[in-house]
Amino acid sequence: KLGRMADDATKPGSMQAMFSCLLLVRLVCAYLAPIMDCDETFNYVEPIHYVTYGSGMQTWEYSPEFALRSYAYVELHALPVRAARFLGLDKVQAFYLLRASLGTISAACEAFFCAAVSQSFGRSVGLLTFGFLAGASGMFHSSVAVLPSSTCMYAVLLGFGAWLRGSWALGLLCGSFAVLMAMAVAVPMF
């Protein structure tokens, strides 16, 4: 039975094979994708630098005077940077480690979703989904972006994947998380 499981893991449509390929693509994204949004730089990357290194720009939204944004999201993303500091990596290497961590999370969520599509609609549909996700220019940028919309994307991929596998409670939990994150951005606009 173990031999058959190992054979299944190397098949083109297996979750492990898709994860491995997607991980390779997302690590390339982490290294090559430029920062496309000034909000990523000033509202997330700079505050991550501020909380991990004690210096850097603090935007007015984070300042104690206005306190419009919480540091919770920033602190979550600061974990890989703190690990990089602990390992003695410089700031540039820490930045790339952060993006590689986000790419790894994205690859895992995408592989989970593709495997669920494969299970629900057939292997060929799952492989097409895998190909479209792996080659999409939007995924190239969003998979490694330090933005709440990327975190929502991870939650939506997990939610739909869980839903397709029949795990409705997990699907609703992930979907609800994505909606709550989106509401934090959308509600102040109205």
Side-chain angles (χ1 to χ4, degrees):
K1 184 170 180 172
L2 287 175
R4 192 173 77 224
M5 286 174 56
D7 289 342
D8 288 346
T10 59
K11 284 185 181 176
S14 75
M15 187 169 157
Q16 294 89 348
M18 288 188 281
F19 173 72
S20 299
C21 293
L22 285 165
L23 180 61
L24 180 65
V25 171
R26 297 303 166 229
L27 291 177
V28 169
C29 296
Y31 184 71
L32 294 178
I35 293 178
M36 299 296 288
D37 188 354
C38 63
D39 282 344
E40 182 178 0
T41 301
F42 297 110
N43 290 329
Y44 301 103
V45 175
E46 277 290 336
I48 289 169
H49 185 277
Y50 183 76
V51 299
T52 53
Y53 294 100
S55 66
M57 296 177 62
Q58 182 186 48
T59 61
W60 66 274
E61 294 104 327
Y62 287 105
S63 74
E65 183 181 350
F66 299 103
L68 295 177
R69 293 184 190 246
S70 166
Y71 274 101
Y73 186 78
V74 170
E75 288 288 350
L76 179 67
H77 285 76
L79 293 174
V81 178
R82 286 195 173 100
R85 265 188 93 179
F86 179 76
L87 295 171
L89 302 178
D90 65 32
K91 292 177 182 181
V92 174
Q93 292 168 326
F95 173 72
Y96 284 118
L97 179 66
L98 169 62
R99 289 177 66 123
S101 300
L102 295 173
T104 303
I105 292 168
S106 181
C109 295
E110 291 172 74
F112 181 75
F113 176 69
C114 289
V117 167
S118 213
Q119 178 183 334
S120 297
F121 302 109
R123 187 170 172 209
S124 59
V125 177
L127 288 173
L128 279 172
T129 303
F130 162 76
F132 288 136
L133 285 173
S137 60
M139 293 300 289
F140 179 83
H141 293 290
S142 65
S143 63
V144 295
V146 185
L147 289 168
S149 57
S150 292
T151 306
C152 286
M153 177 188 72
Y154 308 148
V156 167
L157 286 167
L158 287 175
F160 276 123
W163 189 269
L164 289 173
R165 288 174 179 255
S167 181
W168 296 285
L170 180 60
L172 285 172
L173 178 70
C174 292
S176 300
F177 176 74
V179 167
L180 288 174
M181 283 203 62
M183 282 180 57
V185 173
V187 169
M189 292 181 186
F190 297 103

